[in-house]
Amino acid sequence: MGAARAALVSEARPRALLADCARRLDQPLRVALAGSLKAGKSTLLNSLVGQDIAPTDATECTKVVTWYRYGSTPSVTAHADDGARAHVVVRRGGGTHGLSFDLARLNWDAPTPREVDHLEVEWPAAALAHTTIIDTPGTSSLSREVSRRTARLLTPAHDEQRREHQGEIAIPGADAVVYLLRRLDDADVRFLARIGTGTAAAQGSSNSPAPLGVVGVVSRADEIGAGRIDALHSARDVAARFAGELERTGLCQAVIPVAGLLAFAAATLRQQEFAAFEALAGIPVDELSAAPLSADRFARADVSLPVPPQLRAQLSERFGLFGIRMAVTLIRLGVRDSVGLAAELTKRSGVDELRSVLDVQFGQRADQLKAHSALSALARVLIAYPGTEADGLLPRVRTLLADVHGFAELRLLGRLRTDELALPAADLGELHRLIGGVGIAPHLRLGLSVDATPTQLRAQAVAAVRTWRARARHPLADQFTATACLTAARSAEGTLSLLPE
């Protein structure tokens, strides 16, 4: 990066872009939440952070890209595309309504008003200390310009206006993506495919670089089962189908069902709400089962229940019918306090599983994901500004993008279940583990316990290297399968280099 900046000393724009990319290496990982209109992105963000910091409402809420960063004190700032800034007034609604950002009256530090390009929210939340979360507008927004803002962030080369604005330099702002799906339709597949085209940059394609990590979420999973107590089982079946279809295309590394509303409500469960659930659990099952047929019926004043109608409406809005049924059932099964109920609801929401997947796929590989973003950006700058001494750097950058083993692992994780890979299920499981699909620690890669000795780890790693190199040489192995087997062998060799002599 330094050599490129020195070679482009007379070009202000590329030097600024390269300086920004260099700074990104020392900043938290950038993870974007994307998906169609009302997929539940802001709700999922609140549940992952565990605080009510992202505005949500019944209409299209997120109209501009909003960056959530760690800050010692809460603040919201509006940014224009020319660098102008304005403080944003934050309002907190009453009852169950959370935050709202007042964008109607902004005092810009510029002579004339500006159009908001993006918002930056700084908040003292532990979850943001190592990860910056980017909430994006719906990809199927009613406004084409609103949807285009997400495309500019994640797939800028597909947006002509953005390309013109940046002088044909297309640099995505995120290192990884969590893509929310309420259903699997052509629009989702097309957008995921547009994100995925960025890997072609490693071979020198004109397509833009893109985030290397993509995880799918079947969002609002409780709605799939119409609020029934077995809703998440239905959602898991749907997620399995989504996963099968997406993994065959290589567009996602994993697909997880999550009831985001329930996850956030559990994280912010109030004692008054627990007492209400406890009261509902004390009435006969038949009497209660007829009440929550719909949210409106559950909150009606003429329905006789030992909880006031206003509080019932609050429970319905915060937990949904699925969450209400689940909470009452858990109390009947023996949960005795609000702490225990919050933990059980969180477990059943799917958010813990998502956090685990995000840690394995993104958190443990943060340095690799950020390095991929930086190298991809460097390649785009070098292509856009030819004719300098920096031209000699481009082959090396392309080689790194293609050959760095961590990048190869991440690309392979998204393609393990494609029809291209001709391996038995058991071998696929071992391959997934070896390339870091369940974690990058040596004992996890090798399928051993955490207290395995260095001798045991070394023996297992050596055996894995031999096994996977032999599979790569199999005369019937096609090129893609052989390359995947060699990747597994290199992963096993990598664990050897980490073990003490």
Side-chain angles (χ1 to χ4, degrees):
M1 199 74 71
R5 291 172 65 187
L8 294 167
V9 66
S10 62
E11 302 283 355
R13 174 62 176 163
R15 280 178 56 83
L17 288 170
L18 293 176
D20 179 64
C21 291
R23 286 192 294 270
R24 283 177 64 171
L25 293 174
D26 296 323
Q27 295 173 351
L29 184 73
R30 300 176 177 182
V31 177
L33 301 183
S36 61
L37 177 66
K38 300 307 296 178
K41 297 180 291 295
S42 299
T43 300
L44 180 62
L45 190 155
N46 286 335
S47 67
L48 288 173
V49 174
Q51 296 186 40
D52 192 0
I53 65 173
T56 60
D57 58 23
T59 60
E60 186 175 356
C61 182
T62 307
K63 296 184 182 296
V64 296
V65 172
T66 305
W67 295 64
Y68 291 85
R69 307 177 186 274
Y70 180 82
S72 57
T73 57
S75 69
V76 181
T77 306
H79 293 257
D81 58 7
D82 64 354
R85 301 182 179 188
H87 174 69
V88 178
V89 174
V90 179
R91 305 187 190 282
R92 183 175 293 277
T96 60
H97 299 288
L99 301 180
S100 63
F101 301 157
D102 186 357
L103 302 182
R105 293 178 295 276
L106 297 175
N107 294 319
W108 293 98
D109 59 356
T112 59
R114 300 290 201 271
E115 181 179 350
V116 176
D117 178 71
H118 67 279
L119 300 176
E120 288 196 4
V121 178
E122 293 192 358
W123 209 270
L128 298 176
H130 302 291
T131 304
T132 294
I133 303 179
I134 310 170
D135 196 7
T136 66
T139 56
S140 59
S141 169
L142 301 176
S143 165
R144 181 175 298 180
E145 175 56 31
V146 169
S147 291
R148 187 176 289 142
R149 290 167 182 158
T150 299
R152 289 173 184 169
L153 179 79
L154 300 178
T155 61
H158 290 269
D159 186 280
E160 293 300 323
Q161 292 183 7
R162 180 67 167 179
R163 293 176 70 184
E164 292 171 2
H165 178 68
Q166 289 194 341
E168 298 295 323
I169 303 178
I171 301 176
D175 303 309
V177 177
V178 176
Y179 195 90
L180 282 69
L181 307 121
R182 295 184 68 179
R183 63 190 65 83
L184 187 61
D185 56 28
D186 290 342
D188 289 318
V189 173
R190 285 196 302 270
F191 194 86
L192 283 166
R194 286 167 58 180
I195 294 175
T197 56
T199 57
Q203 285 75 42
S205 166
S206 61
N207 289 324
S208 76
L212 192 56
V214 181
V215 167
V217 170
V218 181
S219 62
R220 305 176 71 157
D222 49 318
E223 295 179 2
I224 292 174
R228 299 192 312 271
I229 198 70
D230 62 347
L232 278 185
H233 293 293
S234 300
R236 291 188 184 281
D237 291 340
V238 173
R241 188 176 78 249
F242 284 3
E245 295 175 6
L246 286 173
E247 288 169 349
R248 280 193 292 274
T249 65
L251 297 178
C252 284
Q253 294 163 0
V255 182
I256 310 296
V258 177
L261 184 68
L262 178 61
F264 175 62
T268 56
L269 178 67
R270 303 154 187 166
Q271 183 60 38
Q272 180 190 37
E273 293 169 336
F274 174 79
F277 288 135
E278 199 170 35
L280 292 172
I283 67 177
V285 175
D286 293 341
E287 184 178 335
L288 179 62
S289 61
L293 293 177
S294 70
D296 289 341
R297 175 173 172 77
F298 180 70
R300 275 170 46 180
D302 60 348
V303 174
S304 179
L305 291 172
V307 175
Q310 184 177 359
L311 181 52
R312 278 183 265 149
Q314 175 181 314
L315 295 177
S316 180
E317 186 173 350
R318 276 184 32 86
F319 291 82
L321 294 180
F322 169 72
I324 292 170
R325 290 187 172 115
M326 180 64 71
V328 170
T329 300
L330 288 169
I331 290 174
R332 285 173 174 162
L333 291 175
V335 173
R336 290 291 175 259
D337 54 45
S338 59
V339 174
L341 181 61
E344 291 295 332
L345 291 176
T346 298
K347 184 188 306 181
R348 286 160 174 78
S349 72
V351 73
D352 283 345
E353 182 181 358
L354 176 60
R355 285 195 181 103
S356 177
V357 169
L358 294 182
D359 175 62
V360 170
Q361 304 290 1
F362 298 164
Q364 296 180 26
R365 297 179 182 268
D367 289 341
Q368 294 175 355
L369 291 167
K370 290 189 291 185
H372 182 269
S373 296
L375 287 169
S376 298
L378 176 57
R380 296 305 301 163
V381 171
L382 295 176
I383 291 170
Y385 290 86
T388 71
E389 294 181 4
D391 289 350
L393 298 173
L394 188 56
R396 174 60 176 160
V397 172
R398 285 175 171 164
T399 298
L400 287 172
L401 283 168
D403 292 347
V404 168
H405 183 63
F407 300 164
E409 287 185 333
L410 283 164
R411 284 191 285 266
L412 182 56
L413 279 170
R415 302 177 67 186
L416 286 185
R417 291 173 178 81
T418 64
D419 295 334
E420 302 170 89
L421 199 53
L423 288 173
D427 291 346
L428 277 175
E430 183 181 351
L431 175 59
H432 179 261
R433 190 183 70 241
L434 271 174
I435 64 175
V438 296
I440 62 174
H443 73 280
L444 294 174
R445 288 182 182 269
L446 298 171
L448 298 176
S449 65
V450 67
D451 57 354
T453 66
T455 300
Q456 292 171 321
L457 292 167
R458 182 171 295 278
Q460 187 76 354
V462 169
V465 171
R466 291 172 177 167
T467 296
W468 286 96
R469 287 205 172 275
R471 287 171 178 160
R473 293 192 298 266
H474 195 285
L476 297 181
D478 59 82
Q479 183 176 355
F480 179 71
T481 301
T483 300
C485 293
L486 285 175
T487 300
R490 289 182 63 188
S491 295
E493 290 170 341
T495 62
L496 281 172
S497 69
L498 299 175
L499 299 177
E501 296 292 340

